[in-house]
Amino acid sequence: MIQEKLNVKATILLSFGFFGSSLVWSVYNAYVPLMLRDTFLLSAFTVGIVMSIDNFFGVIFQPLFGSLSDKTRTRFGRRLPYMYICMPICALLFVFIPVMNKMDKANDLWAFMGVVIMFTFVMSIWRTPAVSLMPDLTPGPLRSKANGIVNLMGGIAAILAFAGGGLLFELGGFSLPFQVSAAILIAAMAVLAFFVREPKLPEKIEKKEKEAKVKLEPKEKKSLILILCAIFFWFAGYNAVETFFTSYATDTMNVSPGQAAMMLSLFALALVIFAIPAGTIGDKLGRRKTILFGLFGITCMFFPLMFVTNANLARVLLILSGMCWACVNINSLPMIVRIAGPLKIGTFIGYYYLFSFSSQIVTTPIYGAIYDYVGHYQSLFIYASVTFILAFGCLFFVKHGEDNVKS
C-alpha cells in the first residue's frame, strides 16, 4: 500500500488550537505565581496548590469532555464546537486575571481566585477536543510526523509567551501580556473557523457506533494499560526535573537562578527543534522502538548529571536529553489513538491526560520528600532515571499502537 503524504499546511492550520492553548498556559504559568506571591502575599506552598488547580481539572474534566466530543454530532463537527464556544470565554477571563490583581486590595483574593478557577475549568473543556483534531484529520501512518508539527507549534507559542511576554511586561506591566495573548487566542480560533473543516464520519462507522459499544481485545487492553503506566512514569521523571532543576543547578554549579532557568530552556528548545524529526523517525522506524530509544537515551544523559559540576557540560547533556525526550513525547499520543480507533479518539486522549496530569500532581511531593530525607539534589537524577527505567519496562511489553510497522 502506498503511504499518503502528509499535508503540512493543513496540519499547521489545525495546530492553531494547540498553539493558542500553549501560549495562554505559558503566560499563565509565568505571571500568576508572581501575582499570588507579591499581591496576595501567599506562601510558596499555597501558590503551589493554586497552580495545581489546572492539573486537578485536567484529571477530572479532560477525559469527560474528550468522551463527550466523541459523541457530539453538529454541522460544525465533533471537536470544533467546543473550541468555538470556549476559546472566546477563555480569552475574556484571561484579560480579567490581571484586572483582579489590584495592588491595593489584598482582600480581592477571592475575586481573583474565582476568575482563575473559571478560566482553568473552561480551558479543561476544550483542550482534549483541540488535541483530537490532529488524529481525526490525519491518516494513521502519518500521525507521529503530524504530532511533531503540532508540538513544534506549541513550542513556538511557549517561546513567544516567554520572550514576547517578558517584553510586553516591561512595557505595560501584568495587563499587556494577558491582553495580547487573549487577542492571539481569538485569532487562533478564527484560523480554525475559516480554514479547518472536520470530516464527516463514514456511514459504516456511524452504524457500528449505534449497533454496539467499541470494546478492546484483551491484548489491546493490556497494551493500553502498559502505555498509560509508561506515560505516568516518564512524566513523573520529566516534571520532577522541570520543577527542581533550578534548585539543583544553583546548589551544585553555583549559577544564578536566571542562568539555571536558561540552562533548562535548552532542553525545551531541543525538544522544539527535534519535534518533527522525532515524528518522522517514529513513522519510519516504529513508535515503540523510537520511544524506547528515547527513554534509554534520556536515562543515559540524566545519570551523569548527578556528578556534573561544569555548567557547559550540563548544557550539552540537557540538549541531548531534549532530543531524546522529543522521541518519547511526540510518538506516545499517536500510539494511544491508534488503539482507540476512530470512534473513541477523544476518550483515549482523555486517558492520556488523566495519567500525565495525575503524574504531575504526585511526583513533586514525592521527590520533595526524597530530598528532605537525603538532603542533596543529586538524588533528582536518580529519581528521574528510575522513573524512565520503569517506563521503559512497561513499554517493552506493548504489542499495539503502530500503523505501518509491526509492533
Side-chain angles (χ1 to χ4, degrees), residues 99-320:
V99 173
M100 295 294 107
N101 180 54
K102 298 177 181 178
M103 302 302 291
D104 58 339
K105 292 184 179 180
N107 290 331
D108 286 339
L109 174 61
W110 291 111
F112 179 86
M113 286 302 304
V115 175
V116 165
I117 290 171
M118 285 190 291
F119 169 76
T120 52
F121 170 69
V122 180
M123 285 291 293
S124 70
I125 293 176
W126 66 273
R127 184 171 183 172
T128 301
V131 174
S132 300
L133 274 178
M134 184 279 289
D136 280 347
L137 301 174
T138 307
L142 301 175
R143 285 173 180 162
S144 287
K145 188 183 297 182
N147 200 38
I149 294 175
V150 172
N151 279 268
L152 174 63
M153 292 288 287
I156 292 172
I159 292 170
L160 286 175
F162 293 132
L167 177 61
L168 291 170
F169 179 83
E170 295 297 323
L171 294 173
F174 282 117
S175 294
L176 199 54
F178 283 79
Q179 292 167 355
V180 173
S181 298
I184 295 174
L185 185 62
I186 294 296
M189 188 199 71
V191 170
L192 294 170
F194 282 106
F195 298 107
V196 177
R197 295 292 179 270
E198 292 190 53
K200 186 177 180 180
L201 284 176
E203 290 184 6
K204 62 180 181 181
I205 295 179
E206 291 277 18
K207 184 178 179 181
K208 182 179 179 182
E209 183 180 42
K210 291 177 182 178
E211 290 177 349
K213 294 182 179 179
V214 179
K215 294 184 178 180
L216 298 180
E217 298 292 331
K219 291 182 179 180
E220 290 179 316
K221 186 178 293 185
K222 178 181 177 182
S223 288
L224 174 64
I225 293 171
L226 287 170
I227 294 173
L228 291 172
C229 289
I231 288 168
F232 180 91
F233 285 127
W234 70 54
F235 272 109
Y238 169 77
N239 283 288
V241 171
E242 184 181 46
T243 301
F244 291 100
F245 178 82
T246 53
S247 299
Y248 154 78
T250 54
D251 188 56
T252 62
M253 299 182 192
N254 295 319
V255 297
S256 69
Q259 290 173 322
M262 291 179 66
M263 289 173 66
L264 189 59
S265 71
L266 294 174
F267 182 96
L269 183 61
L271 168 62
V272 170
I273 293 173
F274 204 65
I276 295 177
T280 303
I281 293 170
D283 282 334
K284 293 184 176 180
L285 180 64
R287 293 162 187 158
R288 174 177 166 274
K289 290 180 181 178
T290 304
I291 295 174
L292 289 174
F293 172 80
L295 290 170
F296 176 78
I298 198 170
T299 303
C300 290
M301 296 304 112
F302 272 12
F303 193 78
L305 280 169
M306 287 185 291
F307 312 104
V308 170
T309 57
N310 182 283
N312 289 326
L313 178 56
R315 291 185 179 99
V316 173
L317 292 172
L318 285 169
I319 291 171
L320 295 174

Side-chain angles (χ1 to χ4, degrees), residues 6-16 149 153 191 195-196:
L6 180 67
N7 188 329
V8 175
K9 180 181 178 181
T11 304
I12 291 173
L13 290 172
L14 67 85
S15 300
F16 270 87
I149 294 175
M153 292 288 287
V191 170
F195 298 107
V196 177

